[in-house]
Amino acid sequence: MNAATFASPVASPAAPPHRRAARRVLPGFNLTLGYTLLYLSLIVLIPLSALVFKTFSMTWADFWAAVSASRVLASFRLTFGASFIAACVNVVAGLLVAWVLVRYQFPGKKIADALVDLPFALPTAVAGIALTAILAGNGWIGQYLEPRGIQLAFQPAGIVIALIFIGLPFVVRTVQPVLEDTEKELEEAAACLGANRWQTFWMVIFPAIAPALLTGFAMAFARAVGEYGSVIFIAGNMPMVSEITPLIIIGKLEQYDYAGATAVASVMLGISFILLLIINGIQAWGRTR
Amino acid sequence: MKTSIRLALSAIALAAASAASAQTTLLNVSYDVAREFYKDFNTAFIAHYKKTTGKDIKVDQSHAGSSAQARAVADGLAADVVTMNTTTDVDFLADKGVVAKDWRAKFPNGASPTTSTMLFLVRNGNPKNIKDWDDLIRPDVKVVVVNPKTGGNGRMAYLAAWGQVRAKGGSDAQAAEFVSKLYKNVPALARGGRDATGMFLQRNLGDVLVTFESEVVSVENEFGKGKVDAVHPSASIVTENPVAVVERTVSKKGTAAEAKAYLDFLYSPEGQEIAAKHNIRPRNEAILKKHAEAFKPIKLFTVDQYFGSLAEAQKVHFNDGGQFDKLYGK
């Protein structure tokens, strides 16, 4: 009995199983497909193609100069690096939060559950200002950390903290329903067969929730890459050190350099797209295994 | 059912009728920090307009970052007038054909009825004893300033720091060295003027804030008097507050005369007096003298004096690969 047999009854929320022939709730495959494509084009593709067309106004050399400047490269490293770290932290922390919310009963659980959604609803600038107020040298937490030489606000560390904040609900909300669906019987069966707690988690529960975790990771990561509002207040915005890519783009727009801004944006979009493709690929591979 | 439809129809008719008979409305698209000034100014203008023409007029305000506002107007925001804090923003609109090509010639003083300058705000009592630009490059001083890449405030602070070396007779090379030392003392770059003020006062970051003179009043209103002292350095830069009629909108709406009257009123003694109250330097000499306490005389130089023009300065200093990038290069 291997892990995959346990994983199979739980479908990943990101990829419903293919059962086209079976039974359709909505009639007219052609109609619905046409609608889907039209809607996606209007909402997603047209704005994005405008982005690409804007960059076409540049020569290849201009484009390369705009996206390969050392400041821009440093901002790519920072933005993608900080987003990656934040998404990793969120996978672990988010799993714990989801676990506690699903498996335990405690007073105030409803409130705790609602709190998870707060980063979704809060204007991110408010979160940024609040985090900065707490972590700055005169803030509640910062006043104890800075005398010990730990500076978080206006440093790359502050950026990671802001990105952890905005990314948390993505992991919790993708893992939670899957955890709720995993049947207790499986764990009991594992225990009966002599598995210890660690084996039960690692070989029974984890394979079931891994696709959801990966989806949560991808969403938290993608969100963090494009995040502006919350990060901008806590980042020191120093070139080469704590300047995120969205700020570079805003800076270019402030100087009416539309082409340069869209060039950087399109590279950012390209990298994100490739990363999401890879993550989707890993998921698909995980399912077929 | 029928009555409700009739009711709705009559409501629409009523709304249309009142819109037709309503007074002219002007939209002034302006920069962030001028919000309070134009609130007072609009009240005065509406009273003045009623008195001189007998007609009612309404003025709407829109405020955000200066160049974001310019972009919005270029993209179609129906402003009747624009009142900005850097000439580049109006030049951008002139390039797009939204305001007249010769907008500078349409009003006195190069179409900027008021000016401001860059000075220092220090913590109450000036604990680090900061008197002039040279104090900003001392190793024990931390300077809060706006990123020239993202804010006009920051561009002016940078040009002021550079220009004051030239004003003392220094060379461009000496100016470059001074500026690079100054930015080494900057712990974090703010995105815009208000962001910088927040960093300095709310987050307690740094010892000195380089900002517009007009920000002093806002800081006192926001954080209370006595939290900061204004320090006037020996020399600083003149920053213009250019204004223009948005030809595209007024020709469509037929509000050219009203828009001109509005901007003309900025030059009137009454308009200049209101500006002075908001710590924006009036062009009117008599009113400037009257407020000598606020506008301490300092040696002022213009952008054109040392940089040719703001557009030229933009190219040499702030565009990618320019002087500012070199400060942080490698």
PDB file of all heavy atoms in Angstrom, chain A residues 178-206:
ATOM      1  N   VAL A 178      -9.183  20.592   1.815  1.00  0.00           N
ATOM      2  CA  VAL A 178      -8.619  19.268   1.539  1.00  0.00           C
ATOM      3  C   VAL A 178      -8.423  18.508   2.845  1.00  0.00           C
ATOM      4  O   VAL A 178      -8.727  17.319   2.942  1.00  0.00           O
ATOM      5  CB  VAL A 178      -7.290  19.414   0.770  1.00  0.00           C
ATOM      6  CG1 VAL A 178      -6.727  18.044   0.452  1.00  0.00           C
ATOM      7  CG2 VAL A 178      -7.492  20.219  -0.492  1.00  0.00           C
ATOM      8  N   LEU A 179      -7.945  19.237   3.858  1.00  0.00           N
ATOM      9  CA  LEU A 179      -7.776  18.599   5.166  1.00  0.00           C
ATOM     10  C   LEU A 179      -9.113  18.134   5.716  1.00  0.00           C
ATOM     11  O   LEU A 179      -9.235  17.062   6.312  1.00  0.00           O
ATOM     12  CB  LEU A 179      -7.156  19.592   6.151  1.00  0.00           C
ATOM     13  CG  LEU A 179      -5.650  19.575   6.323  1.00  0.00           C
ATOM     14  CD1 LEU A 179      -5.249  20.585   7.384  1.00  0.00           C
ATOM     15  CD2 LEU A 179      -5.162  18.188   6.700  1.00  0.00           C
ATOM     16  N   GLU A 180     -10.143  18.969   5.505  1.00  0.00           N
ATOM     17  CA  GLU A 180     -11.467  18.601   5.997  1.00  0.00           C
ATOM     18  C   GLU A 180     -11.967  17.331   5.324  1.00  0.00           C
ATOM     19  O   GLU A 180     -12.708  16.546   5.914  1.00  0.00           O
ATOM     20  CB  GLU A 180     -12.457  19.751   5.743  1.00  0.00           C
ATOM     21  CG  GLU A 180     -12.427  20.789   6.857  1.00  0.00           C
ATOM     22  CD  GLU A 180     -13.057  22.107   6.462  1.00  0.00           C
ATOM     23  OE1 GLU A 180     -13.562  22.226   5.329  1.00  0.00           O
ATOM     24  OE2 GLU A 180     -13.021  23.028   7.291  1.00  0.00           O
ATOM     25  N   ASP A 181     -11.566  17.131   4.056  1.00  0.00           N
ATOM     26  CA  ASP A 181     -12.034  15.980   3.300  1.00  0.00           C
ATOM     27  C   ASP A 181     -11.276  14.696   3.613  1.00  0.00           C
ATOM     28  O   ASP A 181     -11.781  13.612   3.349  1.00  0.00           O
ATOM     29  CB  ASP A 181     -11.921  16.257   1.797  1.00  0.00           C
ATOM     30  CG  ASP A 181     -13.025  17.181   1.329  1.00  0.00           C
ATOM     31  OD1 ASP A 181     -13.953  17.422   2.128  1.00  0.00           O
ATOM     32  OD2 ASP A 181     -12.959  17.662   0.183  1.00  0.00           O
ATOM     33  N   THR A 182     -10.039  14.829   4.115  1.00  0.00           N
ATOM     34  CA  THR A 182      -9.284  13.596   4.372  1.00  0.00           C
ATOM     35  C   THR A 182      -9.983  12.819   5.489  1.00  0.00           C
ATOM     36  O   THR A 182     -10.324  13.365   6.532  1.00  0.00           O
ATOM     37  CB  THR A 182      -7.829  13.887   4.809  1.00  0.00           C
ATOM     38  OG1 THR A 182      -7.876  14.894   5.803  1.00  0.00           O
ATOM     39  CG2 THR A 182      -6.975  14.306   3.666  1.00  0.00           C
ATOM     40  N   GLU A 183     -10.199  11.567   5.221  1.00  0.00           N
ATOM     41  CA  GLU A 183     -10.995  10.792   6.162  1.00  0.00           C
ATOM     42  C   GLU A 183     -10.151  10.307   7.326  1.00  0.00           C
ATOM     43  O   GLU A 183      -9.033   9.829   7.140  1.00  0.00           O
ATOM     44  CB  GLU A 183     -11.608   9.595   5.428  1.00  0.00           C
ATOM     45  CG  GLU A 183     -12.715  10.022   4.494  1.00  0.00           C
ATOM     46  CD  GLU A 183     -12.905   9.030   3.369  1.00  0.00           C
ATOM     47  OE1 GLU A 183     -12.910   7.820   3.648  1.00  0.00           O
ATOM     48  OE2 GLU A 183     -13.033   9.481   2.211  1.00  0.00           O
ATOM     49  N   LYS A 184     -10.714  10.470   8.488  1.00  0.00           N
ATOM     50  CA  LYS A 184     -10.042  10.026   9.713  1.00  0.00           C
ATOM     51  C   LYS A 184      -9.731   8.531   9.654  1.00  0.00           C
ATOM     52  O   LYS A 184      -8.755   8.076  10.217  1.00  0.00           O
ATOM     53  CB  LYS A 184     -10.945  10.314  10.913  1.00  0.00           C
ATOM     54  CG  LYS A 184     -10.641  11.651  11.558  1.00  0.00           C
ATOM     55  CD  LYS A 184     -10.462  11.472  13.041  1.00  0.00           C
ATOM     56  CE  LYS A 184      -9.341  12.323  13.558  1.00  0.00           C
ATOM     57  NZ  LYS A 184      -9.725  13.305  14.531  1.00  0.00           N
ATOM     58  N   GLU A 185     -10.607   7.788   8.941  1.00  0.00           N
ATOM     59  CA  GLU A 185     -10.446   6.332   8.869  1.00  0.00           C
ATOM     60  C   GLU A 185      -9.073   5.961   8.306  1.00  0.00           C
ATOM     61  O   GLU A 185      -8.484   4.954   8.708  1.00  0.00           O
ATOM     62  CB  GLU A 185     -11.529   5.686   7.997  1.00  0.00           C
ATOM     63  CG  GLU A 185     -12.904   5.627   8.626  1.00  0.00           C
ATOM     64  CD  GLU A 185     -13.648   6.957   8.594  1.00  0.00           C
ATOM     65  OE1 GLU A 185     -13.145   7.899   7.927  1.00  0.00           O
ATOM     66  OE2 GLU A 185     -14.695   7.077   9.236  1.00  0.00           O
ATOM     67  N   LEU A 186      -8.608   6.783   7.385  1.00  0.00           N
ATOM     68  CA  LEU A 186      -7.314   6.465   6.787  1.00  0.00           C
ATOM     69  C   LEU A 186      -6.232   6.493   7.849  1.00  0.00           C
ATOM     70  O   LEU A 186      -5.350   5.634   7.896  1.00  0.00           O
ATOM     71  CB  LEU A 186      -6.986   7.487   5.693  1.00  0.00           C
ATOM     72  CG  LEU A 186      -7.883   7.456   4.456  1.00  0.00           C
ATOM     73  CD1 LEU A 186      -7.453   8.524   3.465  1.00  0.00           C
ATOM     74  CD2 LEU A 186      -7.811   6.083   3.808  1.00  0.00           C
ATOM     75  N   GLU A 187      -6.295   7.528   8.715  1.00  0.00           N
ATOM     76  CA  GLU A 187      -5.296   7.637   9.774  1.00  0.00           C
ATOM     77  C   GLU A 187      -5.439   6.468  10.746  1.00  0.00           C
ATOM     78  O   GLU A 187      -4.445   5.901  11.202  1.00  0.00           O
ATOM     79  CB  GLU A 187      -5.463   8.941  10.537  1.00  0.00           C
ATOM     80  CG  GLU A 187      -4.998  10.135   9.735  1.00  0.00           C
ATOM     81  CD  GLU A 187      -5.484  11.434  10.341  1.00  0.00           C
ATOM     82  OE1 GLU A 187      -5.264  11.623  11.542  1.00  0.00           O
ATOM     83  OE2 GLU A 187      -6.083  12.236   9.611  1.00  0.00           O
ATOM     84  N   GLU A 188      -6.708   6.134  11.049  1.00  0.00           N
ATOM     85  CA  GLU A 188      -6.929   5.027  11.973  1.00  0.00           C
ATOM     86  C   GLU A 188      -6.400   3.718  11.385  1.00  0.00           C
ATOM     87  O   GLU A 188      -5.763   2.913  12.075  1.00  0.00           O
ATOM     88  CB  GLU A 188      -8.423   4.896  12.303  1.00  0.00           C
ATOM     89  CG  GLU A 188      -8.875   5.947  13.299  1.00  0.00           C
ATOM     90  CD  GLU A 188     -10.376   6.197  13.272  1.00  0.00           C
ATOM     91  OE1 GLU A 188     -11.103   5.409  12.631  1.00  0.00           O
ATOM     92  OE2 GLU A 188     -10.812   7.191  13.877  1.00  0.00           O
ATOM     93  N   ALA A 189      -6.654   3.584  10.080  1.00  0.00           N
ATOM     94  CA  ALA A 189      -6.158   2.372   9.409  1.00  0.00           C
ATOM     95  C   ALA A 189      -4.642   2.328   9.474  1.00  0.00           C
ATOM     96  O   ALA A 189      -4.038   1.282   9.770  1.00  0.00           O
ATOM     97  CB  ALA A 189      -6.618   2.363   7.956  1.00  0.00           C
ATOM     98  N   ALA A 190      -4.017   3.469   9.240  1.00  0.00           N
ATOM     99  CA  ALA A 190      -2.558   3.530   9.286  1.00  0.00           C
ATOM    100  C   ALA A 190      -2.065   3.159  10.677  1.00  0.00           C
ATOM    101  O   ALA A 190      -1.095   2.408  10.823  1.00  0.00           O
ATOM    102  CB  ALA A 190      -2.093   4.934   8.893  1.00  0.00           C
ATOM    103  N   ALA A 191      -2.770   3.686  11.691  1.00  0.00           N
ATOM    104  CA  ALA A 191      -2.371   3.394  13.066  1.00  0.00           C
ATOM    105  C   ALA A 191      -2.521   1.897  13.339  1.00  0.00           C
ATOM    106  O   ALA A 191      -1.659   1.276  13.968  1.00  0.00           O
ATOM    107  CB  ALA A 191      -3.211   4.222  14.046  1.00  0.00           C
ATOM    108  N   CYS A 192      -3.617   1.303  12.864  1.00  0.00           N
ATOM    109  CA  CYS A 192      -3.839  -0.126  13.065  1.00  0.00           C
ATOM    110  C   CYS A 192      -2.748  -0.957  12.407  1.00  0.00           C
ATOM    111  O   CYS A 192      -2.361  -2.011  12.920  1.00  0.00           O
ATOM    112  CB  CYS A 192      -5.182  -0.550  12.468  1.00  0.00           C
ATOM    113  SG  CYS A 192      -6.566   0.067  13.436  1.00  0.00           S
ATOM    114  N   LEU A 193      -2.282  -0.461  11.259  1.00  0.00           N
ATOM    115  CA  LEU A 193      -1.242  -1.198  10.557  1.00  0.00           C
ATOM    116  C   LEU A 193       0.129  -0.962  11.174  1.00  0.00           C
ATOM    117  O   LEU A 193       1.135  -1.415  10.640  1.00  0.00           O
ATOM    118  CB  LEU A 193      -1.224  -0.802   9.081  1.00  0.00           C
ATOM    119  CG  LEU A 193      -2.467  -1.258   8.303  1.00  0.00           C
ATOM    120  CD1 LEU A 193      -2.504  -0.606   6.932  1.00  0.00           C
ATOM    121  CD2 LEU A 193      -2.480  -2.774   8.166  1.00  0.00           C
ATOM    122  N   GLY A 194       0.173  -0.164  12.262  1.00  0.00           N
ATOM    123  CA  GLY A 194       1.410  -0.028  13.010  1.00  0.00           C
ATOM    124  C   GLY A 194       2.243   1.198  12.688  1.00  0.00           C
ATOM    125  O   GLY A 194       3.397   1.287  13.067  1.00  0.00           O
ATOM    126  N   ALA A 195       1.646   2.159  11.978  1.00  0.00           N
ATOM    127  CA  ALA A 195       2.409   3.364  11.678  1.00  0.00           C
ATOM    128  C   ALA A 195       2.453   4.267  12.901  1.00  0.00           C
ATOM    129  O   ALA A 195       1.467   4.357  13.634  1.00  0.00           O
ATOM    130  CB  ALA A 195       1.751   4.115  10.522  1.00  0.00           C
ATOM    131  N   ASN A 196       3.607   4.881  13.148  1.00  0.00           N
ATOM    132  CA  ASN A 196       3.634   5.867  14.223  1.00  0.00           C
ATOM    133  C   ASN A 196       3.109   7.199  13.703  1.00  0.00           C
ATOM    134  O   ASN A 196       2.773   7.338  12.531  1.00  0.00           O
ATOM    135  CB  ASN A 196       5.043   5.979  14.821  1.00  0.00           C
ATOM    136  CG  ASN A 196       6.055   6.490  13.809  1.00  0.00           C
ATOM    137  OD1 ASN A 196       5.702   7.210  12.879  1.00  0.00           O
ATOM    138  ND2 ASN A 196       7.304   6.114  13.977  1.00  0.00           N
ATOM    139  N   ARG A 197       3.042   8.210  14.582  1.00  0.00           N
ATOM    140  CA  ARG A 197       2.416   9.471  14.194  1.00  0.00           C
ATOM    141  C   ARG A 197       3.126  10.130  13.016  1.00  0.00           C
ATOM    142  O   ARG A 197       2.495  10.664  12.121  1.00  0.00           O
ATOM    143  CB  ARG A 197       2.442  10.434  15.378  1.00  0.00           C
ATOM    144  CG  ARG A 197       1.426  10.055  16.423  1.00  0.00           C
ATOM    145  CD  ARG A 197       1.510  11.014  17.570  1.00  0.00           C
ATOM    146  NE  ARG A 197       0.455  10.743  18.524  1.00  0.00           N
ATOM    147  CZ  ARG A 197       0.015  11.654  19.371  1.00  0.00           C
ATOM    148  NH1 ARG A 197       0.541  12.858  19.373  1.00  0.00           N
ATOM    149  NH2 ARG A 197      -0.943  11.368  20.218  1.00  0.00           N
ATOM    150  N   TRP A 198       4.439  10.087  13.082  1.00  0.00           N
ATOM    151  CA  TRP A 198       5.211  10.732  12.038  1.00  0.00           C
ATOM    152  C   TRP A 198       4.953  10.054  10.690  1.00  0.00           C
ATOM    153  O   TRP A 198       4.741  10.709   9.677  1.00  0.00           O
ATOM    154  CB  TRP A 198       6.698  10.713  12.397  1.00  0.00           C
ATOM    155  CG  TRP A 198       7.553  11.305  11.322  1.00  0.00           C
ATOM    156  CD1 TRP A 198       8.475  10.647  10.596  1.00  0.00           C
ATOM    157  CD2 TRP A 198       7.533  12.652  10.860  1.00  0.00           C
ATOM    158  NE1 TRP A 198       9.047  11.497   9.690  1.00  0.00           N
ATOM    159  CE2 TRP A 198       8.479  12.741   9.831  1.00  0.00           C
ATOM    160  CE3 TRP A 198       6.800  13.787  11.218  1.00  0.00           C
ATOM    161  CZ2 TRP A 198       8.731  13.918   9.137  1.00  0.00           C
ATOM    162  CZ3 TRP A 198       7.047  14.955  10.533  1.00  0.00           C
ATOM    163  CH2 TRP A 198       8.005  15.016   9.507  1.00  0.00           C
ATOM    164  N   GLN A 199       4.947   8.685  10.736  1.00  0.00           N
ATOM    165  CA  GLN A 199       4.685   7.944   9.491  1.00  0.00           C
ATOM    166  C   GLN A 199       3.280   8.238   8.976  1.00  0.00           C
ATOM    167  O   GLN A 199       3.068   8.385   7.776  1.00  0.00           O
ATOM    168  CB  GLN A 199       4.837   6.443   9.735  1.00  0.00           C
ATOM    169  CG  GLN A 199       6.295   6.021   9.803  1.00  0.00           C
ATOM    170  CD  GLN A 199       6.446   4.593  10.260  1.00  0.00           C
ATOM    171  OE1 GLN A 199       5.702   4.122  11.121  1.00  0.00           O
ATOM    172  NE2 GLN A 199       7.423   3.896   9.700  1.00  0.00           N
ATOM    173  N   THR A 200       2.341   8.320   9.898  1.00  0.00           N
ATOM    174  CA  THR A 200       0.963   8.612   9.487  1.00  0.00           C
ATOM    175  C   THR A 200       0.904   9.959   8.766  1.00  0.00           C
ATOM    176  O   THR A 200       0.284  10.095   7.718  1.00  0.00           O
ATOM    177  CB  THR A 200       0.031   8.660  10.711  1.00  0.00           C
ATOM    178  OG1 THR A 200       0.251   7.499  11.479  1.00  0.00           O
ATOM    179  CG2 THR A 200      -1.421   8.750  10.280  1.00  0.00           C
ATOM    180  N   PHE A 201       1.574  10.954   9.354  1.00  0.00           N
ATOM    181  CA  PHE A 201       1.547  12.266   8.722  1.00  0.00           C
ATOM    182  C   PHE A 201       2.254  12.228   7.379  1.00  0.00           C
ATOM    183  O   PHE A 201       1.714  12.645   6.360  1.00  0.00           O
ATOM    184  CB  PHE A 201       2.208  13.318   9.626  1.00  0.00           C
ATOM    185  CG  PHE A 201       2.319  14.659   8.941  1.00  0.00           C
ATOM    186  CD1 PHE A 201       1.209  15.491   8.848  1.00  0.00           C
ATOM    187  CD2 PHE A 201       3.510  15.069   8.356  1.00  0.00           C
ATOM    188  CE1 PHE A 201       1.296  16.706   8.197  1.00  0.00           C
ATOM    189  CE2 PHE A 201       3.595  16.290   7.695  1.00  0.00           C
ATOM    190  CZ  PHE A 201       2.491  17.101   7.618  1.00  0.00           C
ATOM    191  N   TRP A 202       3.458  11.696   7.394  1.00  0.00           N
ATOM    192  CA  TRP A 202       4.318  11.786   6.221  1.00  0.00           C
ATOM    193  C   TRP A 202       3.824  10.923   5.069  1.00  0.00           C
ATOM    194  O   TRP A 202       3.935  11.306   3.913  1.00  0.00           O
ATOM    195  CB  TRP A 202       5.749  11.417   6.622  1.00  0.00           C
ATOM    196  CG  TRP A 202       6.753  11.826   5.613  1.00  0.00           C
ATOM    197  CD1 TRP A 202       7.598  11.008   4.936  1.00  0.00           C
ATOM    198  CD2 TRP A 202       7.021  13.139   5.141  1.00  0.00           C
ATOM    199  NE1 TRP A 202       8.381  11.727   4.077  1.00  0.00           N
ATOM    200  CE2 TRP A 202       8.035  13.045   4.177  1.00  0.00           C
ATOM    201  CE3 TRP A 202       6.492  14.408   5.437  1.00  0.00           C
ATOM    202  CZ2 TRP A 202       8.548  14.142   3.497  1.00  0.00           C
ATOM    203  CZ3 TRP A 202       6.990  15.501   4.767  1.00  0.00           C
ATOM    204  CH2 TRP A 202       8.005  15.367   3.808  1.00  0.00           C
ATOM    205  N   MET A 203       3.258   9.748   5.393  1.00  0.00           N
ATOM    206  CA  MET A 203       2.890   8.810   4.337  1.00  0.00           C
ATOM    207  C   MET A 203       1.399   8.793   4.026  1.00  0.00           C
ATOM    208  O   MET A 203       0.979   8.308   2.986  1.00  0.00           O
ATOM    209  CB  MET A 203       3.369   7.398   4.698  1.00  0.00           C
ATOM    210  CG  MET A 203       4.878   7.375   4.817  1.00  0.00           C
ATOM    211  SD  MET A 203       5.507   5.811   5.371  1.00  0.00           S
ATOM    212  CE  MET A 203       5.309   4.822   3.905  1.00  0.00           C
ATOM    213  N   VAL A 204       0.576   9.315   4.929  1.00  0.00           N
ATOM    214  CA  VAL A 204      -0.863   9.266   4.692  1.00  0.00           C
ATOM    215  C   VAL A 204      -1.439  10.662   4.435  1.00  0.00           C
ATOM    216  O   VAL A 204      -2.070  10.911   3.409  1.00  0.00           O
ATOM    217  CB  VAL A 204      -1.587   8.598   5.885  1.00  0.00           C
ATOM    218  CG1 VAL A 204      -3.087   8.594   5.654  1.00  0.00           C
ATOM    219  CG2 VAL A 204      -1.049   7.198   6.093  1.00  0.00           C
ATOM    220  N   ILE A 205      -1.191  11.563   5.373  1.00  0.00           N
ATOM    221  CA  ILE A 205      -1.824  12.878   5.255  1.00  0.00           C
ATOM    222  C   ILE A 205      -1.101  13.760   4.240  1.00  0.00           C
ATOM    223  O   ILE A 205      -1.723  14.385   3.370  1.00  0.00           O
ATOM    224  CB  ILE A 205      -1.850  13.581   6.633  1.00  0.00           C
ATOM    225  CG1 ILE A 205      -2.668  12.721   7.600  1.00  0.00           C
ATOM    226  CG2 ILE A 205      -2.472  14.960   6.518  1.00  0.00           C
ATOM    227  CD1 ILE A 205      -2.532  13.136   9.030  1.00  0.00           C
ATOM    228  N   PHE A 206       0.224  13.790   4.329  1.00  0.00           N
ATOM    229  CA  PHE A 206       0.970  14.717   3.491  1.00  0.00           C
ATOM    230  C   PHE A 206       0.732  14.497   1.989  1.00  0.00           C
ATOM    231  O   PHE A 206       0.484  15.459   1.267  1.00  0.00           O
ATOM    232  CB  PHE A 206       2.464  14.663   3.831  1.00  0.00           C
ATOM    233  CG  PHE A 206       3.261  15.677   3.079  1.00  0.00           C
ATOM    234  CD1 PHE A 206       3.233  17.021   3.463  1.00  0.00           C
ATOM    235  CD2 PHE A 206       4.014  15.311   1.970  1.00  0.00           C
ATOM    236  CE1 PHE A 206       3.935  17.973   2.755  1.00  0.00           C
ATOM    237  CE2 PHE A 206       4.728  16.267   1.266  1.00  0.00           C
ATOM    238  CZ  PHE A 206       4.691  17.596   1.656  1.00  0.00           C
TER     239      PHE A 206
END
